[in-house]
Amino acid sequence: MEIKSEINYSYLEYQGAPVRHEFPALHQDVFGKPLIYLDNAATTQKPWKVIHATNKYYVEMNSNIHRGVHYLSQKATDAYEISRNTIAEFINARQSKEVIFTKGTTEGINLVADCFGRYAVNEGDSVVITSLEHHSNIVPWQMLCEKRNATLKVIPIDENGEIILDEFEKLLDETVKIVAVSYVSNTLGTINPVKEIIELAHKNGSAVLIDAAQAVHHIPIDVQSLDCDFLVFSGHKMYGPTGIGVLYGKEEWLNKIPPYQGGGDMIKTVTFVKTEYNDLPFKFEAGTPHIEGAITLKAAVDFIREIGINEIARFEAGLLKYATEQVLQLPEVQIIGTAKAKASSLSLNIRGAHPYDVGVLLDKMGIAVRTGHHCTQPIMDFFCIPGTVRASFAVYNTMEEIDKFLESLRRAIKMLV
Ligand code: 7TS
């Protein structure tokens, strides 16, 4: 997807006011300086709309769902299912029963690795991932391969942090049961060619899981047009609450694979001899779920849709382009990850300085960035670096904040180099 990046405004608007007005946590000082929050790839701040929705749940409808005949339980159940419908619409799922609530991306991937793994991965089979993955899209597959005596194959990247598609094609053979790939790299910001990857994998008869943790709030997602088999994301990175996330799965797969956990809600009938599992989506939602998280996630999706995901993508591309151009003016700084298509994250290092030291200095200047390996140690090994300083942008960041980030980076260079 091409994102136009010419941009001449600093504030995206929400309901006629700068979008920043909607985020109370942004309006505070840290160490006597106004907070500049550039750690959005780790988690985003929450708009009033989401905060109010959480309060509303506890004030007006707190009760357990799917089991009570009473008024509050019905109200909470309706809100929970309406949220599922909204999310299905947001990602253009065919049906809302293809949307499963999880704890987050990590749980979604573990669920698929476990359930799909038990169904389809046997001795001698293989799983393909990329060199760009977050640990949560590496370790569950390693655990599966260990259990099943299968092999984990890894698509390499080049110096720009782009997947080498030719190498992917070479890895494809009849042993590959599933390909698991991130849409956007949390460390390098690379937007991966997921459409091509899905097409190639399907031609080979392999299923595909897309880790959309860093994509769903930056890039329009249409699971039908992507034709992915599974797609996962987290609420807390998309202006929603923590502890809630989504697994999208094609109905056909969700019906075929066994359930993840046993317990209440995921059953139709239980005897000591045999249990009949519930229909979708409940088959994969054992126990009392994160009810207010799921309900409140709708408010986050509504917030994104009210601005428009295309508008957000265009705005953030402008921020990233501006920040990249400014950083390129600093000879002491090296950008890690120079893919042609990038979203939101800018990783860099000051030559001769440890990223941790840079992060600590920036923090004292009021700037929140993330330093370290960002749960992607293989990327650090590839670039032979201990870590990076990562600035990641969201709807509420401004050009002025980027200017202040750059000014602080210059001060850090003076102190450290
Ligand atoms: N996949 C990607 C691409 C991610 O960026 C993250 C979290 C996860 C999976 C795991 O998500 P969770 O919500 O289940 O924890 N990424 C980051 C990050 O970049 N900094 O902190 C968390």
Side-chain angles (χ1 to χ4, degrees):
M1 189 195 55
E2 196 196 338
I3 297 172
K4 289 224 174 69
S5 61
E6 63 298 339
I7 197 132
N8 52 14
Y9 51 94
S10 295
Y11 295 92
L12 202 56
E13 285 202 350
Y14 177 68
Q15 297 185 344
V19 78
R20 293 177 68 79
H21 289 188
E22 186 67 9
F23 289 83
L26 296 176
H27 305 284
Q28 59 181 304
D29 288 352
V30 292
F31 303 115
K33 307 268 173 7
L35 169 67
I36 294 179
Y37 188 78
L38 300 178
D39 192 19
N40 296 290
T43 199
T44 53
Q45 298 302 336
K46 316 304 170 201
W48 277 119
K49 199 179 176 74
V50 168
I51 298 165
H52 288 324
T54 309
N55 281 344
K56 187 176 158 74
Y57 168 76
Y58 281 111
V59 172
E60 294 181 12
M61 61 184 101
N62 175 48
S63 57
N64 214 327
I65 56 166
H66 295 146
R67 31 192 110 184
V69 288
H70 63 81
Y71 178 82
L72 283 191
S73 175
Q74 202 50 55
K75 197 168 170 179
T77 303
D78 288 349
Y80 186 86
E81 293 305 327
I82 286 170
S83 179
R84 196 193 305 278
N85 295 343
T86 302
I87 291 155
E89 263 177 41
F90 181 55
I91 58 172
N92 196 30
R94 245 171 242 103
Q95 325 166 63
S96 59
K97 64 181 171 186
E98 294 178 315
V99 168
I100 311 290
F101 285 118
T102 63
K103 279 196 296 191
T105 305
T106 303
E107 188 177 52
I109 298 169
N110 275 279
L111 188 159
V112 177
D114 184 74
C115 305
F116 180 91
R118 275 186 281 144
Y119 176 78
V121 180
N122 295 302
E123 186 162 353
D125 286 340
S126 59
V127 173
V128 172
I129 58 170
T130 84
S131 305
L132 287 174
E133 301 310 313
H134 187 277
H135 293 164
S136 63
N137 202 25
I138 302 174
V139 184
W141 302 112
Q142 270 174 339
M143 289 161 68
L144 167 66
C145 288
E146 221 169 272
K147 253 189 276 173
R148 309 297 272 193
N149 254 328
T151 307
L152 189 67
K153 299 187 195 172
V154 186
I155 313 172
I157 49 170
D158 63 18
E159 288 296 322
N160 296 319
E162 289 178 338
I163 285 174
I164 306 174
L165 269 185
D166 290 348
E167 295 296 324
F168 173 48
E169 290 196 67
K170 286 185 204 157
L171 295 179
L172 288 171
D173 60 26
E174 72 289 349
T175 67
V176 178
K177 298 300 166 201
I178 188 161
V179 176
V181 50
S182 53
Y183 202 139
V184 173
S185 156
N186 64 315
T187 298
L188 306 181
T190 311
I191 302 176
N192 290 319
V194 288
K195 186 105 179 105
E196 286 93 320
I197 290 173
I198 293 165
E199 274 168 22
L200 288 167
H202 282 174
K203 255 192 224 154
N204 187 60
S206 319
V208 181
L209 174 138
I210 301 294
D211 170 355
Q214 299 292 346
V216 69
H217 50 309
H218 297 304
I219 294 174
I221 292 211
D222 179 334
V223 289
Q224 291 189 60
S225 121
L226 280 176
D227 197 29
C228 51
D229 301 280
F230 302 100
L231 181 134
V232 290
F233 55 91
S234 299
H236 70 97
K237 293 186 197 292
M238 53 178 293
Y239 312 109
T242 51
I244 190 77
V246 167
L247 159 67
Y248 157 81
K250 279 185 184 163
E251 183 191 8
E252 186 196 343
W253 278 121
L254 294 177
N255 277 330
K256 274 187 197 161
I257 65 178
Y260 187 44
Q261 293 178 327
D265 244 21
M266 55 76 74
I267 54 89
K268 263 188 192 152
T269 57
V270 178
T271 69
F272 289 120
V273 181
K274 187 170 165 51
T275 290
E276 193 190 347
Y277 303 134
N278 208 342
D279 296 328
L280 297 177
F282 312 113
K283 175 180 162 188
F284 290 98
E285 291 181 2
T288 301
H290 183 9
I291 303 171
E292 83 274 20
I295 290 175
T296 306
L297 189 55
K298 176 185 185 303
V301 171
D302 288 344
F303 169 77
I304 292 173
R305 290 169 101 192
E306 281 161 22
I307 300 174
I309 187 77
N310 284 309
E311 186 67 1
I312 292 173
R314 206 168 63 81
F315 174 76
E316 290 175 344
L319 291 175
L320 182 63
K321 182 171 183 275
Y322 181 64
T324 306
E325 284 165 2
Q326 295 304 305
V327 167
L328 285 171
Q329 308 298 316
L330 304 174
E332 301 86 351
V333 176
Q334 183 189 11
I335 293 178
I336 314 291
T338 48
K340 281 191 281 306
K342 283 178 69 169
S344 174
S345 285
L346 179 61
S347 257
L348 54 86
N349 272 326
I350 297 178
R351 290 175 225 273
H354 196 283
Y356 178 77
D357 296 336
V358 181
V360 169
L361 285 178
L362 291 178
D363 180 40
K364 295 290 177 292
M365 298 181 226
I367 295 171
V369 291
R370 198 164 194 90
T371 63
H373 55 62
H374 317 296
C375 297
T376 55
Q377 284 183 3
I379 296 182
M380 302 304 124
D381 293 344
F382 177 81
F383 287 103
C384 301
I385 50 176
T388 76
V389 175
R390 183 188 66 186
S392 50
F393 308 109
V395 283
Y396 39 66
N397 290 125
T398 66
M399 299 293 185
E400 288 85 346
E401 286 185 313
I402 292 174
D403 287 339
K404 287 200 185 125
F405 167 59
L406 264 293
E407 194 185 302
S408 305
L409 209 53
R410 280 190 206 98
R411 284 178 64 192
I413 291 168
K414 272 200 195 123
M415 287 185 225
L416 293 170
V417 182

